Amino acid sequence: MIDSTAFVRPKYVGKPIRRLEDPRLLTGQGRYTADIQLPRTAHLAFIRSNQAYARINGINLDEAKTLNGVIGVFTASDFTHIPDIKAVSNMENYQVTSCPVLARDVVRYVGEPVVAIAAISRYVAEDAAALIEIDYDTLDVAVTARDALAKNAPKLHDKLASNIILERNFATGNAPVEIANAPHKVSGRFSLTRKTSVSTEPRAYLADYDVGKDELILYDSTNIPGIVRDEIGHLLNLNGNQIRVIAPDVGGSFGGKGSLYPEEIIVADLSRRLERPIKYVADRLEELTASSQAFGEEVEATLAFDADGQFIALDAEIIGDIGAYSIYPWTAALEPVQVASFLPGPYKTPVYRGRVRGVCTPKPPTGPYRGVGRPMAVFVMERLVDLAATKLNLSKVEIRRRNLVRAEDFPHRSSSGIVWDQSGFQECLETAEKAVSKLNLENRKKKSNKWIGVGYACYAELTGIGSRISVAPGMPMNTGTETASISIDATGAVTAKFGIASHGQSLETTLAQIVGEELGIKPEDVRIIQGDTAFSLHGTGTYASRSAVLGGGAAIKTSRALLIKVKQVAATLFNVDPEQVETGDGLIFVHNTNHAINFKELAQAVYSDMKTLPMEKRETLAAQESFDPFLGTTSSSAHVAVVEIDPETLVIKLQDFIVAEDCGKLINPLVVDGQVHGGVAQGVGVALLEELKFDDMGQPITATLADYLIPTSAEMPPMQVHHLETQLPPNPGGFRGMGEGGTIGAPAAIANAVADAVSHLGLCIDSLPITPNKLHALIAAKSKH
Amino acid sequence: MSYKLKIALNVNSESFEADVEPRMLASDFLRDELGLTGTHVGCEHGACGTCTIILNGVSVRSCLLLAVQLDEANIETVEGLGTTREMHRIQHAFREHHALQCGFCTPGFLITVREILDTLPLRNDKEIREALSGNICRCTGYDHIVKAVRTLVNERDKRLNS
């Protein structure tokens, strides 16, 4: 008998449950795209442009074609049946770019694919590449966004009116007038250099065409398998049921695997044409020069405030260096427009003017990267806030406290139009401040002969965005819905299928925790299927801090729909009212009775045993529900960085990092900590190390991991993360997104900490990354004046 | 280039013989010829540590070696560490501390940790961070990896002292 006083239904949500995906990943049994080997596979190598902007005069393929082991050599003229990639937008003042799958006539960045070679091995394909000559006529080009903006600048795309392919204006009130009349103002010209994702797994694609079924399977290291299926289907004229995109284990993305790439289209197309598997695995050089890049912005901004430090108005002029093409599906607006829309931040800034322009330059396209737009927006705003505090001799915490939206102000519509709702803006700051006080910094400063600085950054972000708002401004694609299909099969086993695509986020565990808790079974008994378009009607993938909110919401709705069926069937078996039926820990039972069966027995009664249940009571034990949060949820956080700078070497060492964050209900605290740590590490890279450099001919000069530096364990400080669950959002589960936040706050907090550490020198920290060399240059320039 | 050399080696206590092109990378050989795809390739220029294996008792980057250099060698890869049913203590510690996310760099870290536990004192977290700094992880921010290694070091020191 199940004794109701003794049985407590186990809770799985909120527990630090060990990950279900770990055993395979820890023992070398993971299955990443490059690990999949199929008979008769042809391997692709690409010859990429070594010119930033040039006309292709001719390509000599003769020798390569005759090399033993070469299966085919292809140029743009072999892909005339594939339309160019075009990212459309509803935005006004937006020009669509045409991106051919292989460069046609003109190359527009170093790294653009020009020739594809299929051979029996990658070694042979690269041998053939060495035999191919491409004759280029170099064209005049404007390499920097500022130069490309000039009226007489050479145009990168002949058919477009100018290099400015997008412009958007934000205006609430009259910022120039308010600023002119304000008692105080601070200004700056800020820049964030280009970065790139550097997931440790390079991009990889393997297409397997089944001639008999006329069906294509594309194994793809992507985090947007649904979008890839839909668009490759469109470009290759295939129905959705003829193309299946599988994202197996994926080794990180951070946005870099979240756009459609020419290489995956070519792999898919060639597999059908050559009727054999086609595989392409990028090398690190290709990753650093031909995967999507990020940021690359300049912002001139002014913040006006009164004598109490209350913000009056904000004005910003934003230029985005978007690269050669507007990336599919997000468009080039994704990054720079979000700088403008998130610039006012979590503060009450009643008046705002922002103008953003996106400029084509001969560099790889910019695309999504963890944080998107907000790392720059927060960097600019938080620097201005610190400058304002200094000007008024107010504490850095106090000025923030006075301007952060308060609990009673929610919902608050920011001056850029974003609605903030129910999030612990003030609480995060308060928690961070308390944590800082325990560091005993004054004492440390006294004892140290180094320059010690502390920097704060507050931010808010929209996560789990619903169908009301497009994840990328103007993008005509619904990213606000997620569907779950959950079933109990004839053996009683539970399988839950989603359109999301985990690439490190632990979704096989967190979604199993949710489904397990809702249905009353152990998480390890739930099989989560995701990252495979064969199992979802529509699903765009995992990005934009959406999967916990949307996938989790769909999991809850669907589990509850299925539980109703479970209870109805059990009620018939037990001859009780469905409301009396409970589930927990794999059992279905009625309290204080002998009625108790497991899920296997339930399935048997429904599917196999034709005697127990009358025909009309044999419910199919499956449910499918969608969830759309419509607007989305507001996540917020306060970050604090403590840095120590050696006055002799100017080496900047991060000593402490504190995060106080409100992501609503935690599904798995271990996983949330991991996401915050990883995000902060990427923010550390943004602030102190990572910089893609191009020379004045547009040649990338950071094309190895010895030149493009990402944080190692030695650069990372220990981290303190404080989770706040203030008022929970009204979506199912009360979850908010938190995958990107670490990267959003950290650059600003570190920039402010460095500025604080060198405040006695009066240096402007307005460009990231800030490095010992750059600090030296700033000091040298200062001493000249 | 069809000229091939014969090599014989021992991988995870299993003997193999193979004919390989002199230019074939050790990492490609392990993955594509022996099917041991647990060793991952992250950069192919020795910077990321993802492809780390043990060669005759010492950790090496398999992307910087040729397959022919493995002739007569004893190799240990992640597949030799433990299995899903019977994981090695290092693997357990990584799981307990959530020291992996996407898992791509993880085999390289596990092999590195296996070596440093045997060779370095690792007296404090700073030393652990230095010892791990040849391996790049883009997901975890390293904090959980350091905690996992700290646990393993404490267990090791307790064993040694008892």
Side-chain angles (χ1 to χ4, degrees):
Chain A
M1 191 187 290
I2 308 282
D3 179 356
S4 61
T5 55
F7 183 86
V8 181
R9 181 170 164 165
K11 286 268 182 198
Y12 305 120
V13 171
K15 295 275 158 49
I17 285 173
R18 287 175 196 174
R19 297 203 317 166
L20 302 173
E21 43 278 78
D22 280 349
R24 71 170 188 272
L25 300 180
L26 282 163
T27 53
Q29 303 304 317
R31 196 168 182 247
Y32 300 85
T33 299
D35 299 341
I36 302 168
Q37 299 180 8
L38 299 174
R40 289 188 70 243
T41 296
H43 299 262
L44 282 195
F46 288 90
I47 302 181
R48 297 172 182 278
S49 170
N50 57 15
Q51 302 289 314
Y53 188 32
R55 192 160 295 286
I56 301 170
N57 273 336
I59 306 177
N60 186 344
L61 306 172
D62 298 345
E63 233 185 308
K65 279 183 172 169
T66 59
L67 186 74
N68 206 8
V70 168
I71 293 161
V73 183
F74 307 91
T75 63
S77 61
D78 298 300
F79 294 103
T80 52
H81 57 293
I82 302 179
D84 289 356
I85 306 167
K86 289 183 180 175
V88 295
S89 174
N90 297 328
M91 245 182 77
E92 282 175 48
N93 305 321
Y94 169 76
Q95 303 186 72
V96 180
T97 58
S98 273
C99 176
V101 290
L102 287 178
R104 183 176 54 228
D105 307 328
V106 173
V107 291
R108 294 189 176 88
Y109 64 92
V110 175
E112 181 168 7
V114 183
V115 180
I117 302 151
I120 53 162
S121 76
R122 175 68 174 254
Y123 288 80
V124 174
E126 291 190 19
D127 289 344
L131 301 174
I132 291 171
E133 282 170 36
I134 305 176
D135 180 23
Y136 293 108
D137 263 351
T138 305
L139 298 168
D140 280 344
V141 69
V143 173
T144 67
R146 211 156 262 287
D147 288 346
L149 202 59
K151 270 212 171 76
N152 54 355
K155 285 195 293 178
L156 198 61
H157 295 270
D158 284 349
K159 290 183 181 146
L160 301 186
S162 76
N163 289 325
I164 306 170
I165 65 158
L166 68 97
E167 176 169 341
R168 188 156 162 188
N169 292 284
F170 293 76
T172 299
N174 192 333
V177 168
E178 295 284 346
I179 289 170
N181 295 333
H184 300 284
K185 56 190 161 247
V186 287
S187 305
R189 184 162 156 180
F190 303 92
S191 66
L192 199 52
T193 56
R194 275 186 168 229
K195 323 279 175 191
T196 190
S197 298
V198 192
S199 51
T200 48
E201 180 206 27
R203 288 190 287 126
Y205 312 114
L206 169 62
D208 184 17
Y209 178 62
D210 184 325
V211 191
K213 289 187 187 162
D214 190 18
E215 183 189 57
L216 183 79
I217 296 177
L218 178 63
Y219 300 94
D220 191 322
S221 64
T222 181
N223 56 286
I224 53 166
I227 292 173
V228 170
R229 177 196 65 180
D230 296 357
E231 187 58 12
I232 290 188
H234 161 241
L235 294 171
L236 300 187
N237 206 12
L238 289 168
N239 294 322
N241 57 11
Q242 288 176 290
I243 172 167
R244 174 179 178 190
V245 178
I246 301 174
D249 287 323
V250 175
S253 164
F254 318 107
K257 293 171 183 159
S259 300
L260 182 71
Y261 284 94
E263 294 93 337
E264 60 200 323
I265 302 166
I266 289 172
V267 163
D269 183 61
L270 287 181
S271 182
R272 291 179 79 221
R273 278 161 69 174
L274 301 177
E275 298 186 355
R276 63 193 297 169
I278 302 285
K279 190 175 197 176
Y280 166 70
V281 180
D283 64 24
R284 189 53 61 185
L285 172 66
E286 292 177 300
E287 283 290 275
L288 288 168
T289 56
S291 284
S292 68
Q293 301 190 346
F295 308 153
E297 280 129 356
E298 268 187 39
V299 178
E300 282 186 74
T302 301
L303 176 68
F305 46 97
D306 67 18
D308 294 327
Q310 213 75 53
F311 301 160
I312 298 169
L314 177 66
D315 183 274
E317 192 65 43
I318 299 151
I319 299 169
D321 171 1
I322 67 101
Y325 299 100
S326 182
I327 205 158
Y328 187 91
W330 317 106
T331 81
L334 173 73
E335 166 67 33
V337 172
Q338 294 202 69
V339 175
S341 55
F342 285 91
L343 202 67
Y347 303 108
K348 284 181 277 185
T349 311
V351 174
Y352 176 52
R353 185 202 75 95
R355 177 170 76 148
V356 52
R357 286 174 295 171
V359 190
C360 277
T361 56
K363 297 176 196 143
T366 49
Y369 177 56
R370 202 172 195 170
V372 182
R374 290 145 312 174
M376 182 53 166
V378 175
F379 167 50
V380 172
M381 188 63 183
E382 293 299 303
R383 284 298 299 128
L384 290 173
V385 171
D386 265 22
L387 291 173
T390 305
K391 193 156 193 182
L392 295 180
N393 204 15
L394 257 179
S395 99
K396 308 271 169 65
V397 174
E398 183 55 30
I399 194 167
R400 288 178 167 83
R401 197 177 353 256
R402 288 183 190 177
N403 288 283
L404 280 174
V405 176
R406 296 179 168 278
E408 61 268 26
D409 302 325
F410 291 123
H412 172 81
R413 192 175 191 281
S414 85
S415 50
S416 62
I418 292 169
V419 177
W420 300 129
D421 204 6
Q422 307 294 9
S423 195
F425 291 12
Q426 295 278 355
E427 293 86 342
C428 287
L429 178 63
E430 202 178 306
T431 306
E433 189 189 17
K434 268 188 204 149
V436 173
S437 69
K438 288 182 186 154
L439 295 177
N440 211 353
L441 286 176
E442 288 314 311
N443 206 22
R444 245 200 253 176
K445 279 182 191 173
K446 268 182 219 153
K447 283 186 184 161
S448 175
N449 55 0
K450 305 222 165 108
W451 302 335
I452 292 176
V454 54
Y456 280 82
C458 295
Y459 67 83
E461 51 169 337
L462 269 186
T463 60
I465 296 171
S467 62
R468 175 68 182 80
I469 311 167
S470 178
V471 157
M475 184 183 70
M477 182 184 285
N478 175 24
T479 53
T481 318
E482 192 57 45
T483 305
S485 308
I486 308 180
S487 56
I488 302 169
D489 67 23
T491 70
V494 174
T495 303
K497 299 164 189 164
F498 296 86
I500 47 115
S502 184
H503 42 286
Q505 288 84 349
S506 319
L507 291 162
E508 285 172 53
T509 305
T510 50
L511 291 173
Q513 286 178 259
I514 293 170
V515 173
E517 175 154 326
E518 291 290 332
L519 283 181
I521 59 171
K522 293 186 176 125
E524 59 265 37
D525 291 332
V526 180
R527 171 79 66 182
I528 300 293
I529 293 181
Q530 47 88 43
D532 186 340
T533 61
F535 298 105
S536 63
L537 306 176
H538 166 258
T540 49
T542 289
Y543 52 88
S545 303
R546 72 191 290 275
S547 291
V549 179
L550 276 80
I556 290 175
K557 278 183 74 177
T558 309
S559 297
R560 288 178 185 172
L562 178 57
L563 190 61
I564 289 172
K565 292 185 173 187
V566 167
K567 288 185 175 181
Q568 274 166 353
V569 173
T572 308
L573 291 172
F574 299 153
N575 198 18
V576 298
D577 195 88
E579 281 170 25
Q580 290 175 269
V581 178
E582 301 277 335
T583 61
D585 220 5
L587 282 183
I588 304 158
F589 58 90
V590 178
H591 274 304
N592 302 321
T593 70
N594 286 326
H595 294 313
I597 56 172
N598 58 30
F599 278 73
K600 187 176 180 178
E601 289 163 320
L602 180 86
Q604 213 148 24
V606 171
Y607 297 118
S608 308
D609 173 4
M610 296 297 104
K611 289 177 194 143
T612 318
L613 282 171
M615 205 163 70
E616 69 276 10
K617 298 280 186 188
R618 290 178 208 151
E619 289 261 23
T620 302
L621 297 175
Q624 177 169 302
E625 297 284 332
S626 294
F627 174 60
D628 176 355
F630 194 60
L631 278 173
T633 64
T634 304
S635 298
S636 61
S637 181
H639 285 201
V640 187
V642 180
V643 300
E644 186 188 86
I645 301 173
D646 186 319
E648 300 288 323
T649 63
L650 301 178
V651 164
I652 306 165
K653 179 92 186 135
L654 252 181
Q655 296 288 86
D656 298 276
F657 205 95
I658 296 163
V659 175
E661 62 89 35
D662 181 3
C663 71
K665 179 81 186 155
L666 305 184
I667 302 171
N668 185 327
L670 265 185
V671 169
V672 175
D673 278 344
Q675 289 290 314
V676 173
H677 294 171
V680 167
Q682 289 182 345
V684 170
V686 171
L688 298 175
L689 294 167
E690 297 178 38
E691 179 170 13
L692 286 168
K693 293 180 191 167
F694 296 84
D695 72 7
D696 50 16
M697 300 290 286
Q699 288 289 339
I701 51 176
T702 45
T704 74
L705 290 180
D707 304 296
Y708 186 81
L709 302 177
I710 69 173
T712 74
S713 48
E715 285 82 50
M716 287 302 299
M719 280 181 263
Q720 254 191 61
V721 185
H722 302 268
H723 303 292
L724 304 173
E725 286 182 9
T726 62
Q727 190 169 351
L728 294 181
N731 50 306
F735 315 129
R736 296 190 182 99
M738 48 66 56
E740 295 170 276
T743 313
I744 296 173
I750 296 166
N752 278 342
V754 171
D756 184 46
V758 297
S759 59
H760 59 290
L761 302 172
L763 305 180
C764 286
I765 305 301
D766 49 15
S767 174
L768 293 181
I770 180 74
T771 61
N773 279 346
K774 285 187 190 172
L775 267 184
H776 179 260
L778 286 173
I779 292 168
K782 194 90 186 171
S783 61
K784 263 188 206 161
H785 290 294
Chain B
M1 219 195 256
S2 56
Y3 172 64
K4 289 189 174 180
L5 290 168
K6 192 174 280 296
I7 59 170
L9 68 164
N10 188 293
V11 185
N12 304 326
S13 308
E14 199 179 329
S15 302
F16 292 93
E17 276 187 21
D19 295 314
V20 296
E21 281 188 44
R23 64 168 172 178
M24 175 170 265
L25 295 180
S27 48
D28 288 343
F29 171 72
L30 291 170
R31 292 175 48 78
D32 301 340
E33 302 297 313
L34 301 188
L36 295 170
T37 55
T39 299
H40 299 152
V41 176
C43 73
E44 284 181 304
H45 56 271
C48 76
T50 300
C51 67
T52 306
I53 59 170
I54 303 268
L55 167 71
N56 296 330
V58 180
S59 74
V60 292
R61 284 156 197 237
S62 59
C63 76
L64 296 183
L65 287 173
L66 296 168
V68 290
Q69 293 174 281
L70 306 186
D71 190 26
E72 296 186 357
N74 268 311
I75 303 293
E76 190 181 340
T77 69
V78 68
E79 287 94 342
L81 209 54
T83 66
T84 53
R85 290 190 187 85
E86 211 172 326
M87 286 199 290
H88 189 279
R89 181 62 201 126
I90 298 173
Q91 292 163 322
H92 275 296
F94 267 60
R95 189 179 190 199
E96 283 156 19
H97 290 279
H98 184 38
L100 67 156
Q101 290 179 26
C102 81
F104 195 79
C105 72
T106 309
F109 269 94
L110 295 172
I111 296 290
T112 297
V113 171
R114 178 173 177 70
E115 181 180 58
I116 62 174
L117 283 174
D118 285 343
T119 54
L120 296 175
L122 305 171
R123 280 171 292 241
N124 50 47
D125 286 0
K126 188 168 182 289
E127 290 188 4
I128 293 175
R129 286 176 181 276
E130 286 295 331
L132 293 173
S133 65
N135 288 69
I136 285 174
C137 169
R138 195 60 157 161
C139 292
T140 63
Y142 306 102
D143 215 60
H144 286 172
I145 299 177
V146 173
K147 286 201 174 88
V149 177
R150 169 56 47 210
T151 301
L152 293 163
V153 169
N154 290 345
E155 287 171 7
R156 175 198 70 182
D157 293 348
K158 208 173 160 187
R159 250 192 338 267
L160 292 176
N161 293 333
S162 64

